[in-house]
Amino acid sequence: MNDTFTFIDEARAIEIHDPRLPGPWSNYISNGTMHALVSHAGGGFAWWRSPLTYRLTRYRSHHQPVDSPGFYVYIREADGSVWSPAFRPCERTDTHPQALHQPGITTFTASWRDLKSTLHLYVLPDHDVVTWDLSLENKSGESRSLDVFAYTELSQHQWMEENRFGYYIRNMVKGWYDEETQSLKFLYHETNQPRPDISPMVTFAGTEPVLSRSLHRDRFIGNYHAERLPLGVSNNHCGNDALSCGEGCFALQHVVHLGAGQSTRMAWFLGVQSGALVKFEEAGARLAALLPKLRDFTYLDAQRTRLEDWWTEHFSAFKAEIPDPVAERSINIWTPVNTVHTGRYSRAVNALAPGIRAMGYRDTAQDMLAIAYRKPDWAIKSLKELLAHQFEDGHALHLYSLEGDIPPADSLHSDNHLWPPLLAYALVSETGRTDFLEESVPYVALDGKKTTGRATLWEHLLQGIRFTEANLGAHQLPLTFKGDWNDIIGKFSTQGKGESVFAGQQYCVALDNLIRIARFTNRKADEEWLADCRSRMAKALLAHAWDGDWWARGFDDAGVLVGSQTRPFGKIFLNPQSWAVLAGVGDRDQLLAGMDAAAEHLDTGFGLKAMAPGFKTFPEDTDPFSGYGPGCAENGSVFCHANTWAVIAECLLGRPDRAWNYYSQLIPENLIGQFGIDRYEAEPYAWMSMVTGPENDRYGWANTIHISGTAAWMDVAATQYILGIRPEPEGLRIDPIIPPGWPGFTVRRLFSSCMVDIMFHQSGEPGSSFRWATLDGESLPSEENGILIPRNLLTGKRAAVRIEA
Ligand code: NOJ
């Protein structure tokens, strides 16, 4: 507990007490099709399917006032004073507004002169509806007459077009009130939109009789008035206008009388009916049929229970009890919440990211590693989608859009096609299934270059390997092209000759994974060929990538080493040190030395820098690494995504102290403790892409929150490497590397359909072989790397594993 926020673990919640944060601390509410981002202050925006094409409400990310507008409720008292259940829009701190974020639901509570309000925002699992669910409780001892207004600002659906041509497009919208259903309706009828056949009618309706309403933002708010006190609220009437053109909004006014001690509940529904441009009557009829259902609170409560059940199932796949409460909270609650969001939004949507970046190819392949054990069907679907965005020559799109509304980015990278093998391996290991590898998906057709080519997922995976084989450089390392995992590293290969050590190491990991699958599925010829590719790449890495004290990052176009002591900047990069260990390429002394050098040169005490020293930038240097200032992003920030692999590498090297330190120092809650909210600024419950490094005077500032590969990989690092519960094709490996002071831990983990209870007790050195291990009371043989429980012993509903180490 501190003055600003409290975690409430039993409710899987964080309560934010002080709304005046340095920025929006947000939550996502969603059913997978209808989505909204909701901040602790009530700001945010809603979209349907795609935030680029069906953006329903507006939000100003970069402008002052920050974090507005949102999903607003105004409560007007009989004396004309106005307050809101969330901090925004009225900003009355004397109402003590609290925000409670939980997975899929945000709740605001406030009270004003002993009238208590509770506003829940959530999306219904079975309907594309953002629900605003408000309860009022009069504890004041007097009766209260209130006017309650709900308000949100409408967007013009196509967000890029709105920014470019909104001044025209505002003549292509229409909003009206439908008396019969007591609902507001809005149509965006620009004829050039991508899918007029599904373009939705946006609707807003409440449970209470409507006293007045508005669809006209500038009349309801009033130009040179403010959202804090709109004209419609101060006039106590919304004006009853329609919108024949202009800037839209939904505003509804209702009257509420509450006797002393009385309570009431009311709700509003911001929804969509698709296909309204082509089948207008049908869309209206669907809404008319739906509203009576929604206006029944029993139905609403049942929907909410279904929403909670979805999340409960998600959490039930893994639950740890460990001696560190902050890490336990992260592992059990907030990381799995975060991985759903990266799974849904890739790198595209947060309070600053507007959702116009498509799915990152490499990003989604990594994000799904953390979905594979909780929702394997979702991850298998993603694997198919990824491979359907691969070209016939084996390379993959860099960015792809499932809605087809963002032009795909076909830029050559050395790594994109090498991530799906990791996901395929995770899925085979998790499920024991290989049938999906036999399914066939097309290769991608781009720029009118049609392809009739299709292949099985397995063949697609091999095709990625063939692409790398066909694109090796002078040192037999993969050509970097536009980059590898590191977006900026292509700077060294603008002429196409640069080579990437990281991509070579990643190639080895991808090959290892495919070799395991080939062995598991008895594909002998493939296995041999893959093993041959691997041994050649390992040889090239050993011959060319060692810089004397650590692994170099690659070669530039001129064949000069990058990430080398010979360079004035960027002498050492983190990734080649950690991935050497992940790939197992290098002798043990080299692997240890690389990670020791990372500790010495890159660890800041609040995470490892991506590289050091940071390159100067304009105007000091005419040849900067990137436009990023030193200490920022790839230019020497604490790149949290890359830190995850350092955790895994230290586990693989058997150094629990370091592994734990690298993991725990980065947990956002710990970083906030170290830097304070004003410096760190971001949410204590969501992973970040990076934290500004010490070479910059804003060090400690967290960036790109919620939408980072840090989430999935921290999940993998903590659950599969520190706690060591690691699925493999043949079974479940248990091989923990926990801090020496821990007596042990317990974990309940779903493996295929078996819930496995693991009790691990450690009295010896971490990483030493087990004294004994049992499965349901029967003794299990230990190996060098912990134990491997064969898959066929884990086919029941439950299993209990006890280990003494
Ligand atoms: C963010 C990008 O979305 C991701 O794809 C990339 O791997 C990292 N930056 C590192 O450059």
Side-chain angles (χ1 to χ4, degrees):
M1 166 85 185
N2 60 43
D3 291 345
T4 308
F5 63 87
T6 310
F7 282 107
I8 308 168
D9 293 344
E10 45 304 354
R12 299 192 182 107
I14 177 166
E15 186 164 66
I16 299 160
H17 317 298
D18 183 352
R20 291 202 191 269
L21 295 172
W25 283 9
S26 29
N27 192 14
Y28 298 83
I29 59 177
S30 168
N31 64 7
T33 314
M34 185 81 162
H35 314 265
L37 179 121
V38 181
S39 82
H40 74 284
F45 61 106
W47 68 98
W48 179 66
R49 296 174 66 130
S50 149
L52 179 65
T53 305
Y54 305 107
R55 201 180 188 86
L56 307 179
T57 66
R58 285 209 177 119
Y59 185 66
R60 290 177 275 281
S61 302
H62 296 277
H63 302 225
Q64 285 288 9
V66 293
D67 187 21
S68 67
F71 308 98
Y72 288 170
V73 173
Y74 300 86
I75 300 175
R76 191 181 198 278
E77 300 274 348
D79 66 0
S81 54
V82 182
W83 57 286
S84 49
F87 178 58
R88 285 272 171 78
C90 295
E91 299 182 25
R92 300 197 77 135
T93 44
D94 45 0
T95 63
H96 304 298
Q98 312 271 311
L100 188 91
H101 288 320
Q102 289 172 290
I105 179 160
T106 289
T107 302
F108 302 100
T109 46
S111 96
W112 173 254
R113 296 182 194 148
D114 292 325
L115 183 75
K116 188 178 170 215
S117 66
T118 307
L119 173 65
H120 303 288
L121 296 177
Y122 51 94
V123 173
L124 303 182
D126 297 321
H127 308 279
D128 291 338
V129 171
V130 179
T131 302
W132 316 18
D133 188 342
L134 176 72
S135 297
L136 296 171
E137 200 183 340
N138 182 5
K139 296 172 154 181
S140 70
E142 299 164 8
S143 62
R144 301 280 272 268
S145 289
L146 311 166
D147 287 276
V148 180
F149 300 78
Y151 167 79
T152 195
E153 179 178 334
L154 292 170
S155 185
Q156 293 168 0
H157 290 199
Q158 285 183 276
W159 196 77
M160 286 293 270
E161 296 307 297
E162 173 168 334
N163 281 279
R164 276 152 64 174
F165 296 123
Y167 55 104
Y168 293 131
I169 296 175
R170 61 192 190 154
N171 294 298
M172 301 174 185
V173 297
K174 175 180 181 169
W176 70 102
Y177 179 63
D178 176 31
E179 281 288 353
E180 209 176 304
T181 54
Q182 299 227 346
S183 64
L184 295 170
K185 297 179 173 177
F186 174 82
L187 274 187
Y188 168 77
H189 45 75
E190 141 75 301
T191 51
N192 244 342
Q193 54 183 297
R195 295 277 312 269
D197 58 321
I198 60 167
S199 186
M201 174 162 72
V202 191
T203 63
F204 195 54
T207 48
E208 303 308 299
V210 173
L211 182 70
S212 78
R213 77 277 165 175
S214 176
L215 287 135
H216 206 304
R217 182 197 68 180
D218 299 339
R219 288 194 194 141
F220 178 74
I221 299 284
N223 285 343
Y224 300 102
H225 290 255
E227 283 154 0
R228 198 186 284 201
L229 186 58
L231 268 185
V233 176
S234 57
N235 292 341
N236 209 16
H237 194 277
C238 297
N240 286 354
D241 48 52
L243 184 80
S244 46
C245 51
E247 303 296 345
C249 78
F250 284 150
L252 288 174
Q253 180 185 12
H254 315 277
V255 170
V256 174
H257 295 289
L258 275 183
Q262 278 185 339
S263 303
T264 189
R265 182 175 173 193
M266 55 205 300
W268 295 273
F269 312 106
L270 172 68
V272 288
Q273 293 300 333
S274 70
L277 292 187
V278 287
K279 291 192 176 156
F280 179 74
E281 298 297 334
E282 245 183 70
R286 277 201 307 271
L287 178 71
L290 175 64
L291 281 177
K293 257 184 167 178
L294 301 186
R295 285 174 170 143
D296 171 358
F297 284 112
T298 319
Y299 185 74
L300 222 51
D301 288 340
Q303 282 286 296
R304 194 164 148 191
T305 305
R306 277 178 44 68
L307 168 71
E308 286 161 359
D309 289 349
W310 189 93
W311 281 102
T312 303
E313 193 211 351
H314 184 72
F315 289 116
S316 67
F318 196 99
K319 187 170 190 296
E321 281 176 32
I322 58 176
D324 184 313
V326 172
E328 184 179 294
R329 177 177 301 130
S330 179
I331 291 168
N332 288 344
I333 303 174
W334 296 102
T335 303
V337 171
N338 201 155
T339 56
V340 169
H341 301 149
T342 48
R344 282 180 176 152
Y345 310 119
S346 184
R347 305 292 170 269
V349 195
N350 69 13
L352 293 172
I356 60 176
R357 190 187 150 151
M359 306 291 279
Y361 195 91
R362 69 163 75 102
D363 304 314
T364 295
Q366 293 171 77
D367 294 340
M368 286 295 134
L369 295 175
I371 298 298
Y373 70 116
R374 297 184 186 265
K375 300 258 182 317
D377 291 344
W378 178 9
I380 290 175
K381 185 166 168 276
S382 290
L383 179 65
K384 288 183 200 160
E385 287 162 356
L386 285 162
L387 293 174
H389 289 92
Q390 184 186 31
F391 291 90
E392 256 163 330
D393 70 357
H395 87 282
L397 280 171
H398 190 56
L399 296 168
Y400 66 103
S401 150
L402 295 175
E403 283 291 327
D405 55 356
I406 306 179
D410 176 19
S411 57
L412 272 187
H413 291 252
S414 51
D415 69 315
N416 281 324
H417 55 283
L418 296 179
W419 294 104
L422 277 66
L423 177 57
Y425 175 76
L427 281 164
V428 170
S429 301
E430 201 59 62
T431 62
R433 284 175 48 196
T434 54
D435 56 314
F436 58 89
L437 297 175
E438 312 303 334
E439 287 182 39
S440 100
V441 294
Y443 287 105
V444 75
L446 201 61
D447 294 340
K449 280 182 252 150
K450 284 281 164 229
T451 167
T452 46
R454 293 180 75 84
T456 62
L457 299 198
W458 176 249
E459 189 53 34
H460 273 267
L461 296 168
L462 296 185
Q463 199 58 4
I465 300 302
R466 290 185 194 114
F467 179 82
T468 297
E469 283 294 300
N471 287 283
L472 302 177
H475 302 89
Q476 296 301 297
L477 298 173
L479 289 169
T480 311
F481 299 119
K482 280 245 155 61
D484 52 33
W485 167 86
N486 183 321
D487 292 329
I488 313 297
I489 208 75
K491 159 83 187 156
F492 296 104
S493 68
T494 51
Q495 293 156 34
K497 293 189 195 138
E499 293 167 79
S500 165
V501 166
F502 166 79
Q505 296 164 327
Q506 185 198 354
Y507 186 53
C508 290
V509 172
L511 288 165
D512 284 341
N513 284 190
L514 293 183
I515 290 167
R516 290 289 297 271
I517 300 178
R519 199 172 301 150
F520 189 61
T521 50
N522 214 13
R523 290 177 160 99
K524 288 227 164 16
D526 289 342
E527 186 186 336
E528 272 169 31
W529 174 67
L530 293 164
D532 179 52
C533 297
R534 192 201 191 281
S535 94
R536 280 183 285 107
M537 183 53 62
K539 205 165 145 203
L541 287 164
L542 292 170
H544 303 295
W546 183 247
D547 189 51
D549 289 325
W550 55 73
W551 300 97
R553 185 65 176 77
F555 291 93
D556 66 13
D557 283 318
V560 177
L561 273 180
V562 176
S564 154
Q565 331 227 14
T566 57
R567 296 254 178 182
F569 304 109
K571 283 173 181 292
I572 175 168
F573 282 68
L574 176 57
N575 279 359
Q577 318 318 320
S578 53
W579 278 77
V581 183
L582 270 61
V585 175
D587 61 40
R588 185 166 167 86
D589 288 345
Q590 284 175 309
L591 301 181
L592 289 170
M595 288 308 291
D596 287 347
E600 186 184 338
H601 300 286
L602 301 175
D603 189 15
T604 59
F606 60 92
L608 295 139
K609 295 190 266 188
M611 57 87 152
F615 288 76
K616 301 273 184 233
T617 189
F618 298 108
E620 291 95 332
D621 196 312
T622 50
D623 187 25
F625 176 48
S626 66
Y628 286 122
C632 295
E634 281 83 349
N635 194 13
S637 77
V638 168
F639 217 110
C640 308
H641 186 168
N643 276 244
T644 64
W645 299 317
V647 177
I648 295 174
E650 291 296 356
C651 288
L652 292 173
L653 290 174
R655 301 199 287 191
D657 286 324
R658 266 218 190 128
W660 181 252
N661 183 36
Y662 289 167
Y663 174 68
S664 108
Q665 69 184 359
L666 264 201
I667 296 176
E669 190 183 345
N670 288 337
L671 280 177
I672 282 216
Q674 166 156 348
F675 289 115
I677 290 172
D678 288 337
R679 179 164 280 271
Y680 183 80
E681 293 199 359
E683 292 90 329
Y685 51 89
W687 289 104
M688 54 296 176
S689 186
M690 54 228 168
V691 178
T692 306
E695 289 170 80
N696 193 294
D697 67 6
R698 284 199 75 178
Y699 74 90
W701 180 40
N703 271 270
T704 324
I705 318 304
H706 291 280
I707 47 172
S708 162
T710 313
W713 277 105
M714 276 304 195
D715 190 273
V716 171
T719 62
Q720 297 191 24
Y721 289 88
I722 293 173
L723 299 178
I725 302 164
R726 199 155 62 239
E728 296 185 6
E730 297 77 15
L732 188 63
R733 182 168 299 282
I734 305 181
D735 180 22
I737 296 284
I738 56 173
W742 284 16
F745 63 82
T746 64
V747 162
R748 171 167 289 185
R749 204 242 196 228
L750 188 65
F751 180 62
S752 292
S753 50
C754 182
M755 194 59 91
V756 190
D757 279 304
I758 299 157
M759 195 178 276
F760 180 82
H761 184 249
Q762 174 169 276
S763 47
E765 281 295 300
S768 50
S769 47
F770 300 161
R771 288 160 210 246
W772 53 260
T774 60
L775 170 69
D776 295 329
E778 301 286 325
S779 177
L780 285 168
S782 281
E783 302 175 7
E784 201 189 321
N785 300 324
I787 51 166
L788 179 71
I789 309 174
R791 192 170 282 282
N792 63 1
L793 298 185
L794 294 172
T795 47
K797 276 210 155 53
R798 304 199 76 98
V801 179
R802 303 273 175 279
I803 297 169
E804 183 67 39

